[in-house]
Amino acid sequence: MDFSSPTFWLSLLQIIWIDLLLSGDNAVVIALACRSLPEKQRRWGILLGAGAAVGLRIMFALAVSYLLGVPLLKVAGGLLLLWIAVKLVTDGDGEAHHVEASDSLWKAVRTIAIADAVMSLDNVVAIAAASRGHPELFIFGLLLTIPLIIAGSQLVMALLTRFPILVWAGAALLGWIAGEMVVSDVISLQYMQGYDPELVKPDPDSPIGMKPAHLPHYLASTIGAVFVVGLGWFLRQRNRAQAA
């Protein structure tokens, strides 16, 4: 470890910046999943959710190169994340209060764990790329996510309580991430490369050496966000009509 190396400090700054950006996704998931919990259980939900997020990142860190090469893994993860996002906006706000406390808490933690398992793969890849082979920087990046996720979850929770419309914004964010995952899967990239090489571009930091170009990236992300909001709105309107 060479503290005098500019590359080391550049990598450190990049990891901090990546953590600040990517931990926000996990914070949104935790806040959305815990928003219906009784006040006394929200702190436990945040702590357990943050622990699940960090634990999953460490697990993926041990097998990241293998997992990224598995075809259709990101497609499956993206579809699962779409389902989670729609479920978060269609669940009734007061539903969890009518469930036993322990059941509602573990239901929230289960939702967080599934969503984090889907999103943590990309987060680990970004930190691994920024660490440039320095294991101490990689470990630091993983550990830094703990306070960032906890603090971010509490902040987002306060905003969701005051501005319920932000629940939709959070769900749209998850839909955006799901679209990104689907289009960046190995199968998707190979198909786009064969159809039109302009749809992909080189990426030396990626284990497969390429990533989607701007057009398919933003198109897929937008479709994911619009799909979640549109389907969520439709299902909520249908549920209200049935209740009436």
Side-chain angles (χ1 to χ4, degrees):
M1 181 166 52
D2 184 7
F3 291 109
S4 63
S5 169
T7 304
F8 177 87
W9 292 105
L10 177 62
S11 297
L12 179 62
L13 291 174
Q14 288 177 342
I15 286 173
I16 294 174
W17 180 240
I18 288 170
D19 273 330
L20 288 171
L21 291 176
L22 298 183
S23 295
D25 298 340
N26 299 86
V28 168
V29 170
I30 293 172
L32 286 172
C34 295
R35 75 187 191 279
S36 298
L37 289 177
E39 186 69 32
K40 293 181 180 179
Q41 291 192 347
R42 288 184 179 179
R43 184 176 297 275
W44 276 110
I46 290 173
L47 291 174
L48 291 172
V54 176
L56 287 165
R57 289 189 187 192
I58 293 173
M59 288 174 55
F60 284 139
L62 301 175
V64 67
S65 3
Y66 169 74
L67 289 173
L68 280 176
V70 177
L72 297 179
L73 178 65
K74 286 190 173 183
V75 172
L79 296 177
L80 181 60
L81 194 57
L82 286 174
W83 174 78
I84 290 172
V86 172
K87 192 172 185 300
L88 286 171
V89 292
T90 53
D91 279 348
D93 289 340
E95 180 181 347
H97 294 283
H98 302 292
V99 184
E100 290 295 327
S102 59
D103 291 342
S104 60
L105 174 62
W106 291 112
K107 179 182 176 183
V109 173
R110 182 187 64 193
T111 300
I112 293 166
I114 294 173
D116 282 337
V118 171
M119 296 190 302
S120 291
L121 188 59
D122 283 347
N123 297 5
V124 168
V125 173
I127 295 174
S131 64
R132 292 180 173 85
H134 293 281
E136 64 280 358
L137 285 178
F138 185 69
I139 294 171
F140 170 79
L142 293 176
L143 294 178
L144 182 61
T145 60
I146 300 174
L148 290 176
I149 290 174
I150 292 175
S153 301
Q154 292 174 331
L155 174 61
V156 176
M157 181 82 71
L159 291 173
L160 291 178
T161 303
R162 187 167 184 179
F163 307 105
I165 190 65
L166 293 179
V167 172
W168 289 93
L173 173 62
L174 298 185
W176 180 279
I177 297 170
E180 287 182 333
M181 293 187 66
V182 170
V183 80
S184 62
D185 186 84
V186 176
I187 294 294
S188 301
L189 290 170
Q190 290 176 345
Y191 174 80
M192 290 188 297
Q193 186 181 38
Y195 181 79
D196 183 356
E198 296 294 324
L199 295 177
V200 299
K201 59 183 180 180
D203 181 16
D205 292 330
S206 170
I208 57 176
M210 59 181 173
K211 64 181 180 180
H214 290 304
L215 176 62
H217 174 266
Y218 289 115
L219 181 62
S221 300
T222 302
I223 290 174
V226 171
F227 174 81
V228 167
V229 173
L231 182 59
W233 181 85
F234 170 77
L235 292 176
R236 289 192 67 158
Q237 294 298 112
R238 188 190 66 177
N239 292 342
R240 287 176 181 175
Q242 290 177 344

